[in-house]
Amino acid sequence: MKAYKIPEATVMRLSIYSRYLKQLLDENVDTISSSEIAKGVGVSSAQVRKDLAYFGEFGTRGVGYKVGELYGHLMKILGLDRKWNIAIIGAGKLGSALALYEGFKERGFTVQGIYDVNAGIIGKELSGCTVEPLAKLANQIKEKQITLGVITVPASSAQDVTDILVKSGVEAILNFSPRVLKVPYGVVLRNVDLSVNIEVLSFNLAAKIQ
Amino acid sequence: MKAYKIPEATVMRLSIYSRYLKQLLDENVDTISSSEIAKGVGVSSAQVRKDLAYFGEFGTRGVGYKVGELYGHLMKILGLDRKWNIAIIGAGKLGSALALYEGFKERGFTVQGIYDVNAGIIGKELSGCTVEPLAKLANQIKEKQITLGVITVPASSAQDVTDILVKSGVEAILNFSPRVLKVPYGVVLRNVDLSVNIEVLSFNLAAKIQ
DNA sequence: GCTTTTTTGATAATTCATTCACATAATTGT
DNA sequence: ACAATTATGTGAATGAATTATCAAAAAAGC
């Protein structure tokens, strides 16, 4: 039962399910029920089934899901059955951390380039990539077929970097800067705000203490 | 009009509003309307007003909001009118990046300790903090009155670290490891999953291409 | 082969979040 | 003083997401 609009929360959970299934696969688990998945990742079993139902019927009634099979379906749905070339713009602490992050590599995201304006950083080696000057970004996006840009520059230059990425044909942007970015229709944008996360905790703490 | 349960999405937006207001404050803007805030952060003006309405009436009809005043209210609501002592557990790339992250410091989060088990990292300096062995964590949480723990260790040791944090009296945990953590009722837990974010992009890219 | 058990997939009910629409209040201009 | 304008605060309407429920299908037990 394919539906047009998939809730973002569903997609996020699919990513989590898939990682959990990978773990089960490594443990040679053959079959699993929606309620076991649910327990493993901390949601309800109805939620698991509902999420999967957006994309088809993957289980067998009375039995459950074949781990390997479901894992394959999820990887395909998430677009992780292929390699993605990514560029990281901003080789500060966060950019470097992401460049070295194993989690990306494991799931098929290859860091093809890291860029910065800071002369002190340019030329450094980071996981088989040399930090290049920002001026080279536009050309290398095309040369290296980079489809995904990760922005870890300060807020003040985030929009400029975005414009370069978009103009050079990048199709998706993961933005770690605390700035609302404008992208044309068709470019996928996702914002990750580290400050917001800790401030939600602070809010909850403050509310608890009152 | 104070309400009991505040949507998490509202709290996240309040954090974003507050940062935008700080910027306006630095630019000496005196007054602002909900629709200007909305435009600045990329939401609807009704959303801004509704979010604020959970906590009281901060504006003047026909006029808008005093920037400084609203900023003050938001900082208080978010619990950012005080200092929070935090500990970072896991001094790998991500932990180090977070330790050096200015965004935390600016908003009143002081890194009081960084911990790791890796002998090669222990003793290193990171923004005025020496990386300490994990064994010291429990005692230092009490000594340094740390209320907030940031977990950047691998998934395999995340629950162990959580248990130490909880037992030592930490009240909130920001978890960057891809593991579902168990905490007792009363401890605030928030998960940040970097992989999930890039995989949502991958999903959208894959869906677009089809 | 029939009954019982299990677990999916789908629909309905419920809860939660966002948007709409407008009365109300403040200000400005005449 | 009064009309016109602006922009808040809020209840109602809408929309979205989650949870509950249960018929249908597969398997296991007898």
Side-chain angles (χ1 to χ4, degrees), chain B residues 105-126:
Chain B
K105 206 179 297 174
E106 278 166 20
R107 305 281 277 187
F109 299 96
T110 312
V111 179
Q112 288 285 0
I114 310 172
Y115 305 87
D116 209 297
V117 286
N118 185 338
I121 301 174
I122 292 166
K124 262 195 189 169
E125 283 287 327
L126 283 173

Side-chain angles (χ1 to χ4, degrees), chain A residues 85-122:
Chain A
N85 292 326
I86 73 178
I88 296 175
I89 303 92
K93 269 287 156 186
L94 183 58
S96 306
L98 292 175
L100 297 167
Y101 181 46
E102 289 299 314
F104 289 162
K105 204 178 300 174
E106 278 166 21
R107 305 281 276 186
F109 299 96
T110 312
V111 179
Q112 288 285 1
I114 311 173
Y115 305 87
D116 208 299
V117 287
N118 185 339
I121 301 174
I122 293 166

Side-chain angles (χ1 to χ4, degrees), chain A:
Chain A
M1 196 265 273
K2 216 162 238 180
Y4 187 60
K5 175 75 178 118
I6 313 293
E8 180 170 294
T10 290
V11 180
M12 295 179 73
R13 284 189 298 265
L14 291 182
S15 164
I16 293 168
Y17 302 160
S18 77
R19 190 165 52 207
Y20 184 61
L21 290 170
K22 177 69 167 64
Q23 189 189 315
L24 294 173
L25 206 56
D26 291 343
E27 293 164 5
N28 290 309
V29 178
D30 187 62
T31 308
I32 192 162
S33 68
S34 60
S35 54
E36 285 171 300
I37 296 174
K39 195 163 167 247
V41 305
V43 301
S44 74
S45 67
Q47 183 80 84
V48 172
R49 293 197 300 275
K50 180 110 245 194
D51 287 338
L52 297 176
Y54 283 107
F55 301 93
E57 303 185 10
F58 306 117
T60 311
R61 295 172 192 219
V63 181
Y65 305 88
K66 287 270 174 195
V67 173
E69 221 172 83
L70 183 57
Y71 176 71
H73 282 299
L74 290 185
M75 292 300 273
K76 186 132 189 280
I77 290 167
L78 290 168
L80 299 174
D81 56 341
R82 67 187 82 178
K83 298 262 176 246
W84 297 105
N85 292 326
I86 73 178
I88 296 175
I89 303 92
K93 269 287 156 186
L94 183 58
S96 306
L98 292 175
L100 297 167
Y101 181 46
E102 289 299 314
F104 289 162
K105 204 178 300 174
E106 278 166 21
R107 305 281 276 186
F109 299 96
T110 312
V111 179
Q112 288 285 1
I114 311 173
Y115 305 87
D116 208 299
V117 287
N118 185 339
I121 301 174
I122 293 166
K124 263 195 188 171
E125 283 286 328
L126 283 174
S127 73
C129 254
T130 310
V131 178
E132 302 280 354
L134 189 63
K136 288 198 182 174
L137 177 60
N139 276 333
Q140 295 200 352
I141 284 172
K142 288 165 196 159
E143 281 166 24
K144 298 185 173 177
Q145 302 188 49
I146 289 164
T147 46
L148 209 158
V150 178
I151 297 184
T152 54
V153 299
S156 54
S157 42
Q159 185 64 58
D160 291 343
V161 167
T162 303
D163 294 343
I164 299 173
L165 288 171
V166 168
K167 200 181 277 179
S168 310
V170 153
E171 296 178 81
I173 294 173
L174 187 59
N175 173 37
F176 282 88
S177 87
R179 170 59 57 91
V180 180
L181 297 178
K182 281 205 212 10
V183 295
Y185 180 83
V187 174
V188 185
L189 173 65
R190 191 168 171 83
N191 300 297
V192 181
D193 197 314
L194 295 178
S195 284
V196 164
N197 281 297
I198 202 162
E199 291 181 13
V200 172
L201 278 188
S202 161
F203 170 82
N204 285 306
L205 275 177
K208 204 176 69 161
I209 291 163
Q210 264 28 274

